Each structure stands twice: as C-alpha cells, then as structure tokens.
Amino acid sequence: MKARTRFAPSPTGYMHIGNLRTALYEYLIAKSGGGDFLLRIEDTDQKRYVEGATDIIYSTLKTVGMNWDEGPDIGGNYGPYVQSERKPIYAEYAHKLVELGGAHYCFCAPKEESEDDEAEENAVPAKFQDPCKRLSLEEARARIAAGEPFTVRQTINKKGKSRFHDEVYGDIEIDYDDLDEGVLLKTDGFPTYNFANVIDDHLMEITHVVRGNEYISSTPKYNLIYETFGWTPPVYVHVPQVMKDAQHKLSKRNGDASFQDLVAKGYLPEAILNYIALLGWNPGDDREIFSLSELEKAFSVERLNKSPAIFDIVKLTWMNGCYIRELSAEDFHRLALPYYQKCLTRSLDLAALSKVLQPRIETLADIAAQTDFLEQLPDYDLALFENKKMKTDRDIANNALRLVAALLPQVEPWSNENLFEQLKKLAADNGLKNGQVLYPVRIALSGRETTSGGATELAAILGREESLARINVALQRLGEQG
C-alpha cells in the first residue's frame, strides 16, 4: 500500500518547531516509501485565524525543501484542501452520523459549546453531560426546523475499553467512560478539529497520521466515527512532545523560538530541519548530519522514540556551525551579505571577510559581534600589547609597529598571503620572532585580545589606508604613554 500522509496545520501564526517536526515525519513516511505528501489547511477555528499565516506555512515548507504533492495551491484529486471550503461536506457527514446513531443534535447554550470547542482544540478532555442526548431525533429535527441554533455532538454509548495500536506506543487501551461527547459541528457550521480531520483523512485516503501524543486520549473518539461509518482508520503515529526542559514543553507563547525566529537568528534552514529530525528519531548509529534526501533513505517509523525530546539550542548551534563550514565559499558569502549590510558601513574587502569568518562562526548572527571592531576601532587597553606567550611588551610592540608602518605603503599586492610573507621577512630581518610582529599588528588593527582573523587577514579586509591609520593610532598612544 502506497503511503499517503498529510500535514494539516492551522494558520494561526508562525511555524512552531513541534509543528515542523510533525510535517517532517509525515513527509518522510510518505517519501521513504515512494508515497504522497499532502498539505491541508485546517482553518475551521476562525477566531484564531491569523492573516498571512498560510503564506508562512507555504514559505516554511518550501524553504526546507518539503514539497507537497497535493495542496491548496497545486490542487489534486481530493480537494478542496482548505477546510473552510469544505463546510458542506462536514455538514453532510455530521447529519449522516446522527442518523447512524454516532452523534446527536444539541441545543445547549453557546457558552458551553465554546468551552467544549476550546477543549477539543487543545486535546484536553472536558466531560460534558449533555441533556440533549435524551431528545428523540424527531423532536430535535422539529426544533431545528423551527430555527433553533444547534450543534452536533458525538454520542458515545459503548462500554468497556477502546483498544487500538500506535506505531510508537504499541497497543493502547482507554476506557470509554473517560471520553467526552464533544462538539463535532458548531452552530456556525464549522466542524471542530476532532471531526474534520477524521472526515478529511478518510476522503483523502490518508494512510498514516502523525500527531502529538497529547492526542492519544482522543483517538478512541476518532475510531468510533470511523467505526460508525464503516471506514478503516489510518495507521497512528503519535510522537512525544518537543520539550524546553524536563517539565515544560516548547511553546511560542512562552517565548520559545519558532522556525522563523531561528532563521532570523542566523540558523540555516537545512540545519534546523536536520536537528528536529533527531528530536524523537534516531538512525540506529552515531551519525547526526543528514540532508533531506538522506533522511528520506534512512528514516523508519520503527526508530521513533517514546521519550520526550528536549530542544537543545547548544546542540542545534553546533550542528549549524557544521552546516556553515560545509557551504561553498560563494554560498556563504551570499548568505553573509545581508548581515554585513546591517552592521558595516565602511569600505571593506567583504569577500576576504567571508573567507575569514566561515570556518569560525556557528550562526550567521555571530557576524555582528565578530565584525563590530572593523566598523569602529574600540578604545582598547594598551596592556593588551603585553603578552608573555608572544614575548611582547609595549616597547617591543612600539618598535614592531614602527617597522610595519614603514613597510606597508610599499606592499604589493595587498593580500593576506603576501602581507603574511612580508611581515615574516620583516621579523627575520630585524631579529624578531613572527609573533612579536604579528601579535602587535593584530591588537592595533582590532583592539581585541581575540579575533576571528589573524593580523594579515584583518589588514587585507581593512585595506591599506585603514590599516595604516589604526597602526598610527597605536603608535601615537604607545608614544604618549612611553
């Protein structure tokens, strides 16, 4: 059987890490077996709809390379793929379910309906004893014909335990008495999540459903709907939540980063996707770096974990650094340019700067902190010129910088490689060690004890005029103190 999976997000804002991981696992289940991956927009909760959120969903999936085979923008044989465009379908099946005894009409106050709907959306059981359940179908239809507002609620008459299998958690039993008879169709004609996803998954011939393990307790309610209609349920794949720590789940509401936030902080989409693949799945060996195509080949449902996954920003940052170092020089420079434009205004050799930074940063956002001294020389402490390891003090630094200042106007070509050879020769000709020349130059050019680049790399980036100007500043300050 060819797998058909769907990613069915609600357009309520940014793409949360947990949502993106669900999409990835759905995608990998489909693609690892040559199946189809569908995109369906679940916008039935109009109160939470955010303008532009659907575009964010499209953009995020395309950015990470998870292209869908069917969806709102490209169509398919099972559309529409936007739930608000499927209202007549839900109404038809809701009334059929009532006729089959799997649901009943409810005329309770909107307040109760609203509270129930909120519980459904958050996968939190909220027991509701519905007096309308005792109404006959004829009486209920008469009240509807009279114009009375109504909802359709699920009817749960079964006793004992519901039993079903999950690919991650195995065989599960849940007592029918623990299930709430929740709203399936609201007064405005929109379905709740618990009804719409069952109808759509069946009609779209979805074979595997991936969702968070908080929905395990609701699965018997879905299965009752499948059973009443005589349909076969999909394969269930419930995954543990992505956690901030052992007690708190990752949540945008609590200030935790979304996919868009991480990209804005300089993380590469490919690295983010690679990292979240490992939040609940492992390949069975020590390998950690995977492209999306490699994940398609390596992924298997059997290696999904039951334990909650802790989002470790330190691990993601390390992985991002690995991805940055694997970029071509051209690709890194292209990605770095917007960051240079934000923090640098002076004329610099940006290609040379990219060559220096690429092996030394972990996120693109590191660029600002690594380059601020290039924009403006800081007011540094002259004690930086004193370094036992380099065997320098202020007098040695003063002498070395005078020699360098005399040499630099004649250096051609002005490149890191040539500057390095010229300064090494200068040191040898004057009885100095390389570090006794290069270290003072680096301090004079940067005003920092540590920098991403060495002395001649910084000189190549700053250019001849600015390099000489900074060395002369150092000489003036050393002379004044001397």
Side-chain angles (χ1 to χ4, degrees):
M1 179 179 62
K2 184 174 76 169
R4 282 176 61 83
T5 64
R6 54 42 170 194
F7 178 48
S10 297
T12 56
Y14 291 106
M15 179 71 76
H16 297 193
I17 291 302
N19 287 349
L20 184 58
R21 186 190 64 167
T22 297
L24 176 59
Y25 290 164
E26 295 266 17
Y27 176 88
L28 293 175
I29 288 172
K31 296 306 174 182
S32 62
D36 296 327
F37 174 62
L38 285 65
L39 175 61
R40 186 173 76 218
I41 302 300
E42 297 196 342
D43 62 344
T44 57
D45 188 349
Q46 296 290 294
K47 298 187 297 295
R48 296 173 59 213
Y49 177 81
V50 174
E51 190 70 35
T54 300
D55 291 333
I56 290 174
I57 294 166
Y58 291 157
S59 174
T60 300
L61 295 181
K62 289 177 180 177
T63 297
V64 298
M66 283 195 291
N67 298 314
W68 48 99
D69 301 292
E70 301 171 27
D73 56 336
I74 60 176
N77 296 328
Y78 299 85
Y81 294 90
V82 178
Q83 286 188 336
S84 60
E85 299 173 12
R86 299 171 62 86
K87 282 178 64 177
I89 298 174
Y90 306 128
E92 175 189 351
Y93 281 95
H95 293 303
K96 281 185 180 179
L97 194 64
V98 172
E99 292 174 2
L100 293 170
H104 59 274
Y105 297 113
C106 175
F107 303 91
C108 295
K111 179 177 182 293
E112 293 166 333
E113 173 196 325
S114 175
E115 291 173 348
D116 189 280
D117 182 52
E118 184 177 350
E120 294 285 0
E121 292 290 343
N122 292 285
V124 177
K127 293 291 286 184
F128 175 71
Q129 302 300 323
D130 185 11
C132 300
K133 185 178 178 179
R134 296 188 292 270
L135 295 174
S136 69
L137 185 55
E138 292 72 19
E139 184 179 356
R141 283 175 171 164
R143 292 174 68 172
I144 293 172
E148 190 171 345
F150 69 95
T151 63
V152 175
R153 278 189 180 272
Q154 187 168 13
T155 300
I156 299 174
N157 290 324
K158 277 202 167 188
K159 299 299 180 182
K161 294 185 181 295
S162 167
R163 295 175 176 83
F164 61 96
H165 181 79
D166 179 76
E167 292 297 296
V168 176
Y169 290 89
D171 294 328
I172 297 172
E173 292 186 353
I174 294 177
D175 199 311
Y176 284 115
D177 287 341
D178 294 335
L179 304 181
D180 175 56
E181 296 185 318
V183 171
L184 303 180
L185 197 71
K186 296 178 281 187
T187 53
D188 59 6
F190 278 99
T192 57
Y193 168 83
N194 281 358
F195 185 57
N197 82 89
V198 171
I199 302 304
D200 289 343
D201 286 345
H202 171 74
L203 296 179
M204 294 180 182
E205 298 185 7
I206 300 302
T207 62
H208 296 70
V209 168
V210 179
R211 56 176 164 244
N213 62 4
E214 68 269 29
Y215 287 96
I216 288 178
S217 61
S218 297
T219 302
K221 297 199 291 186
Y222 311 148
N223 285 344
L224 284 174
I225 298 173
Y226 281 109
E227 182 181 324
T228 302
F229 282 123
W231 300 340
T232 301
V235 174
Y236 292 118
V237 183
H238 288 92
V239 292
Q241 297 183 39
V242 180
M243 305 293 288
K244 182 175 184 176
D245 52 44
Q247 288 78 37
H248 305 92
K249 70 177 182 178
L250 209 62
S251 170
K252 176 71 174 175
R253 187 178 301 171
N254 296 330
D256 298 318
S258 67
F259 173 80
Q260 284 72 25
D261 292 330
L262 291 172
V263 171
K265 291 177 180 178
Y267 292 88
L268 302 183
E270 299 85 352
I272 299 170
L273 196 71
N274 185 162
Y275 178 68
I276 66 172
L278 302 175
L279 289 176
W281 172 83
N282 73 84
D285 54 32
D286 294 332
R287 185 179 177 189
E288 294 186 293
I289 305 299
F290 291 89
S291 67
L292 182 56
S293 61
E294 289 169 337
L295 283 170
E296 291 175 20
K297 296 180 179 68
F299 184 83
S300 67
V301 171
E302 291 75 22
R303 300 211 66 84
L304 288 170
N305 303 322
K306 298 179 183 178
S307 303
I310 306 296
F311 185 85
D312 184 353
I313 193 67
V314 174
K315 182 65 174 290
L316 171 59
T317 302
W318 165 83
M319 185 172 286
N320 198 70
C322 294
Y323 270 81
I324 284 178
R325 289 185 285 278
E326 288 299 315
L327 291 170
S328 68
E330 294 77 14
D331 284 343
F332 175 78
H333 186 60
R334 174 178 53 80
L335 292 171
L337 277 175
Y339 291 84
Y340 297 154
Q341 291 165 359
K342 289 179 182 177
C343 60
L344 299 172
T345 60
R346 69 168 57 251
S347 177
L348 300 169
D349 187 338
L350 296 180
L353 177 57
S354 288
K355 188 175 180 180
V356 168
L357 289 178
Q358 184 175 0
R360 295 177 171 95
I361 64 172
E362 292 188 300
T363 75
L364 294 171
D366 293 342
I367 288 173
Q370 295 280 0
T371 60
D372 57 356
F373 69 90
L374 296 173
E375 179 69 9
Q376 182 173 354
L377 181 67
D379 184 17
Y380 57 91
D381 190 338
L382 293 179
L384 287 176
F385 286 111
E386 301 170 4
N387 189 299
K388 291 182 179 179
K389 183 178 179 181
M390 295 297 175
K391 296 182 170 56
T392 65
D393 56 26
R394 299 187 195 193
D395 290 336
I396 292 172
N398 188 56
N399 178 48
L401 291 175
R402 288 186 183 282
L403 294 170
V404 172
L407 172 68
L408 292 188
Q410 287 80 44
V411 171
E412 288 293 346
W414 189 266
S415 67
N416 171 47
E417 294 77 9
N418 188 43
L419 283 164
F420 186 69
E421 292 303 320
Q422 292 291 330
L423 292 192
K424 281 202 307 179
K425 184 176 184 301
L426 177 72
D429 291 347
N430 290 275
L432 297 170
K433 295 183 180 298
N434 290 341
Q436 291 177 311
V437 173
L438 294 171
Y439 179 77
V441 170
R442 186 172 65 77
I443 297 299
L445 296 181
S446 69
R448 284 186 171 185
E449 187 172 5
T450 59
T451 57
S452 289
T456 57
E457 290 175 310
L458 298 182
I461 293 166
L462 286 164
R464 191 193 312 269
E465 183 179 342
E466 180 64 18
S467 296
L468 278 167
R470 293 187 178 203
I471 287 173
N472 285 328
V473 167
L475 286 170
Q476 181 180 358
R477 293 184 63 198
L478 286 167
E480 289 173 353
Q481 191 151 75

